[in-house]
Amino acid sequence: MAPVDMDALKSKKVPIIWVLGGPGSGKGTQCERLIQRYGFQHLSSGDLLRDEVASGSAKGKELNEMMKNGVLVPRAVVLDLIKQAMLKNLGSAKGFLIDGYPREVEQGVDFEDQIAPAALVLYFDCSDETMTERLLFRAKSSGRADDNEETIKKRLVTFHQCSEPVIKKYAEKCVSISANTDVDTISKKCFESVDKTLKDLGLPVPSN
Ligand code: AP5
């Protein structure tokens, strides 16, 4: 894999927000709300990987097997996809929502070393029961190979083992939001945190 030059992004200094939480905690749903309010670019590691799978490449086939097993794909693969997507969307970016990344401590370290530090970490704290219920409901229409009972169980195990330590490591810049409730209540808490981060960075905050 050829190294990706991230200097253009480093010099632009746009805020980067990591959006974390277990499978079905509402990361994608809340990112939609955040895009509407702030006009940020949204990059979901899961979507980038599914695009690679859909391309039919040999790499995509390997990734699909791992995703169907609910395990993490190799970290160089996902970081490279994120770098490429950030550079592609840099022109108009007011900020980046990085959804579903980092999922293990090493991914966070790689990102901040090779790209830039995250300004804020939003973590959606949700019970396994609620997440499972939401994903099983979504399974009726999503067509996702990993939205089935067996893989959801594995995704939850991977989350608890690999991703919870990320929250501990970045506790200082992490805001934990209870995500067992309705979408609007969660959005309100997200907006409060992002507004504060923008203010702290001396950046404009939406007026409504
Ligand atoms: P990824 O695509 O990131 O999936 P995930 O983390 O398992 O979570 P989802 O995207 O399914 O859920 P979400 O939290 O976004 O919730 P959503 O808003 O959609 O990852 C898939 C796989 O790719 C991984 O298992 C791994 O193999 C691989 N991968 C990804 N990133 C990786 C990385 N960094 N490193 C290595 N491997 C990686 O909501 C879910 C449902 O609930 C929806 O139907 C929604 O309408 C509903 N809902 C949302 N919020 C609420 C609410 N408050 N109340 C009621 N319903 C709600």
Side-chain angles (χ1 to χ4, degrees):
M1 230 177 300
V4 182
D5 183 359
M6 299 306 287
D7 285 353
L9 187 130
K10 283 179 189 147
S11 57
K12 192 154 178 189
K13 294 201 167 96
V14 290
I16 295 173
I17 299 173
W18 290 343
V19 182
L20 306 182
S25 59
K27 301 182 291 296
T29 302
Q30 293 301 327
C31 282
E32 287 302 317
R33 297 292 186 94
L34 291 162
I35 295 165
Q36 280 169 23
R37 180 170 168 83
Y38 302 99
F40 291 150
Q41 292 289 335
H42 171 215
L43 300 178
S44 149
S45 53
D47 286 347
L48 293 170
L49 290 164
R50 280 184 287 277
D51 287 348
E52 186 67 39
V53 172
S55 77
S57 68
K59 184 163 76 178
K61 287 197 178 84
E62 279 176 39
L63 296 174
N64 196 30
E65 284 312 304
M66 293 178 222
M67 292 163 79
K68 278 201 289 195
N69 277 314
V71 298
L72 299 182
V73 311
R75 57 185 221 264
V77 172
V78 68
L79 184 61
D80 199 52
L81 290 172
I82 288 176
K83 284 179 176 174
Q84 309 270 9
M86 287 180 90
L87 288 179
K88 196 169 144 205
N89 291 288
L90 184 59
S92 56
K94 294 182 187 163
F96 284 102
L97 298 168
I98 308 294
D99 163 0
Y101 186 103
R103 262 177 151 90
E104 54 187 343
V105 168
E106 294 80 0
Q107 290 188 1
V109 174
D110 285 352
F111 187 104
E112 294 203 319
D113 280 354
Q114 296 175 38
I115 303 179
L120 171 69
V121 180
L122 287 177
Y123 167 56
F124 298 125
D125 185 10
C126 200
S127 70
D128 285 12
E129 292 73 24
T130 301
M131 292 191 276
T132 303
E133 205 177 287
R134 287 181 189 166
L135 292 177
L136 287 176
F137 183 75
R138 185 179 70 180
K140 294 175 196 163
S141 58
S142 71
R144 267 178 60 166
D146 58 352
D147 275 353
N148 59 73
E149 204 157 353
E150 195 190 336
T151 310
I152 291 167
K153 278 190 193 140
K154 292 179 184 168
R155 287 158 71 189
L156 286 168
V157 169
T158 304
F159 169 70
H160 291 301
Q161 280 178 353
C162 305
S163 305
E164 280 180 348
V166 176
I167 312 306
K168 290 203 182 82
K169 163 130 177 113
Y170 295 98
E172 273 182 20
K173 53 184 166 188
C174 179
V175 175
S176 178
I177 296 175
S178 170
N180 289 301
T181 183
D182 63 283
V183 174
D184 287 344
T185 304
I186 302 166
S187 298
K188 198 165 168 273
K189 298 232 166 88
C190 291
F191 296 168
E192 284 167 10
S193 299
V194 176
D195 281 6
K196 181 177 180 313
T197 300
L198 293 178
K199 266 187 212 150
D200 290 349
L201 293 169
L203 294 168
V205 172
S207 51
N208 52 2

